[in-house]
Amino acid sequence: MAVCETCGNEYYLAFEVRTVGGGTHTFDSFECAIQKLAPVCEHCGTRIVGHGAEVSGRFYCCAHCARSADSAAGMEIRDAVGAYPG
């Protein structure tokens, strides 16, 4: 059995998450994985589980938070779902 690195629970259904940077993390639930790995919105502090928004290298949970934190840069946000920027 593996031990969750967030909560310390030993669980027979634990799973591993491998990051692009080569890290390997073990968790017993998606909640623990999110708590450990998901970025935090720089405006409201919410964990960013979905796409979120990145403006000038800063991460936000939604366009509203991005606009609230930086109104000028936040106005540049466009929905890019399905679009390839390059």
Side-chain angles (χ1 to χ4, degrees), residues 7-84:
C7 71
N9 184 37
E10 189 173 333
Y11 188 45
Y12 77 101
L13 291 175
F15 59 93
E16 287 185 349
V17 174
R18 296 168 197 245
T19 64
V20 173
T24 301
H25 303 275
T26 303
F27 302 105
D28 69 341
S29 66
F30 287 114
E31 290 88 353
C32 284
I34 289 166
Q35 186 64 34
K36 181 76 174 193
L37 299 175
V40 176
C41 176
E42 293 195 37
H43 180 69
C44 73
T46 297
R47 293 277 174 191
I48 303 169
V49 180
H51 291 134
E54 181 181 1
V55 178
S56 302
R58 301 180 77 185
F59 293 91
Y60 303 96
C61 65
C62 63
H64 169 77
C65 280
R67 289 185 188 106
S68 296
D70 184 344
S71 60
M75 296 313 276
E76 299 297 318
I77 294 175
R78 299 290 179 265
D79 187 357
V81 175
Y84 181 71

